Amino acid sequence: MTAELAQDIDKGSPHDRYVRCGLSFDAGRVLASPLGYGKSGMMASLPDTEGLIKVGSGSSGASAGEPVEVLLLRNTPGH
Protein backbone atom coordinates (compact mmCIF):
# COMPACT_ATOMS: atom_id res chain seq x y z
CA MET A 1 0.00 0.00 0.00
CA THR A 2 1.03 3.63 -0.29
CA ALA A 3 1.09 5.92 2.74
CA GLU A 4 2.33 9.39 3.60
CA LEU A 5 5.53 9.42 5.62
CA ALA A 6 4.93 11.07 9.01
CA GLN A 7 8.58 11.93 9.74
CA ASP A 8 11.97 11.93 8.04
CA ILE A 9 13.99 8.74 7.72
CA ASP A 10 17.77 9.06 7.42
CA LYS A 11 19.69 6.39 5.57
CA GLY A 12 23.41 6.10 4.90
CA SER A 13 23.43 2.78 3.05
CA PRO A 14 23.02 2.54 -0.74
CA HIS A 15 20.76 -0.51 -0.32
CA ASP A 16 17.00 -0.76 0.15
CA ARG A 17 16.00 -0.35 3.78
CA TYR A 18 12.82 -1.57 5.48
CA VAL A 19 11.77 0.43 8.53
CA ARG A 20 9.21 -0.82 11.05
CA CYS A 21 6.21 1.48 11.30
CA GLY A 22 2.85 2.10 12.85
CA LEU A 23 -0.08 3.32 10.75
CA SER A 24 -2.71 5.94 11.48
CA PHE A 25 -5.54 7.48 9.52
CA ASP A 26 -6.26 11.22 9.29
CA ALA A 27 -8.83 12.89 7.02
CA GLY A 28 -8.68 10.08 4.47
CA ARG A 29 -4.89 9.88 4.51
CA VAL A 30 -2.85 6.91 5.68
CA LEU A 31 0.19 8.01 7.70
CA ALA A 32 3.21 5.77 8.24
CA SER A 33 5.16 6.61 11.41
CA PRO A 34 8.61 5.04 11.75
CA LEU A 35 9.08 3.39 15.13
CA GLY A 36 11.86 5.25 16.93
CA TYR A 37 13.14 2.09 18.51
CA GLY A 38 13.31 0.10 15.29
CA LYS A 39 16.98 -0.75 14.92
CA SER A 40 17.33 -4.21 13.40
CA GLY A 41 18.38 -5.85 16.66
CA MET A 42 15.68 -4.19 18.79
CA MET A 43 12.85 -6.63 19.39
CA ALA A 44 10.79 -4.26 21.58
CA SER A 45 9.13 -2.62 18.57
CA LEU A 46 7.76 -5.85 17.10
CA PRO A 47 4.40 -5.84 18.95
CA ASP A 48 3.67 -2.30 17.68
CA THR A 49 4.79 -2.92 14.10
CA GLU A 50 1.96 -2.80 11.58
CA GLY A 51 4.09 -2.56 8.45
CA LEU A 52 7.48 -1.96 6.88
CA ILE A 53 8.28 1.27 5.07
CA LYS A 54 10.43 0.62 2.01
CA VAL A 55 13.12 3.25 1.54
CA GLY A 56 14.59 2.62 -1.90
CA SER A 57 18.23 2.24 -2.86
CA GLY A 58 20.45 5.28 -2.90
CA SER A 59 22.23 7.23 -0.20
CA SER A 60 19.34 9.54 0.70
CA GLY A 61 16.50 8.61 3.00
CA ALA A 62 12.91 9.81 2.76
CA SER A 63 11.29 13.07 3.83
CA ALA A 64 8.15 13.61 5.87
CA GLY A 65 5.10 14.13 3.68
CA GLU A 66 6.29 12.10 0.71
CA PRO A 67 4.48 8.95 -0.42
CA VAL A 68 6.15 5.68 0.58
CA GLU A 69 5.48 2.03 -0.10
CA VAL A 70 4.41 0.09 3.01
CA LEU A 71 4.34 -3.68 3.25
CA LEU A 72 1.51 -4.59 5.62
CA LEU A 73 2.31 -7.13 8.31
CA ARG A 74 -1.15 -7.31 9.86
CA ASN A 75 -4.63 -5.94 9.33
CA THR A 76 -5.11 -2.44 10.63
CA PRO A 77 -8.38 -0.75 11.63
CA GLY A 78 -10.08 0.86 8.66
CA HIS A 79 -8.17 -1.21 6.14
Side-chain angles (χ1 to χ4, degrees):
M1 71 175 291
T2 301
E4 183 179 325
L5 187 58
Q7 65 190 61
D8 294 345
I9 296 176
D10 293 326
K11 178 171 93 73
S13 166
H15 307 289
D16 288 350
R17 181 173 178 202
Y18 293 87
V19 178
R20 296 174 196 155
C21 71
L23 299 171
S24 60
F25 305 89
D26 179 45
R29 299 178 309 159
V30 179
L31 301 174
S33 299
L35 298 175
Y37 45 96
K39 297 287 184 188
S40 62
M42 296 289 293
M43 302 302 279
S45 67
L46 288 176
D48 298 326
T49 301
E50 295 175 300
L52 298 173
I53 298 168
K54 180 182 179 186
V55 181
S57 60
S59 60
S60 63
S63 299
E66 74 179 71
V68 290
E69 180 182 346
V70 176
L71 304 171
L72 293 177
L73 298 180
R74 61 178 159 155
N75 290 331
T76 55
H79 236 301

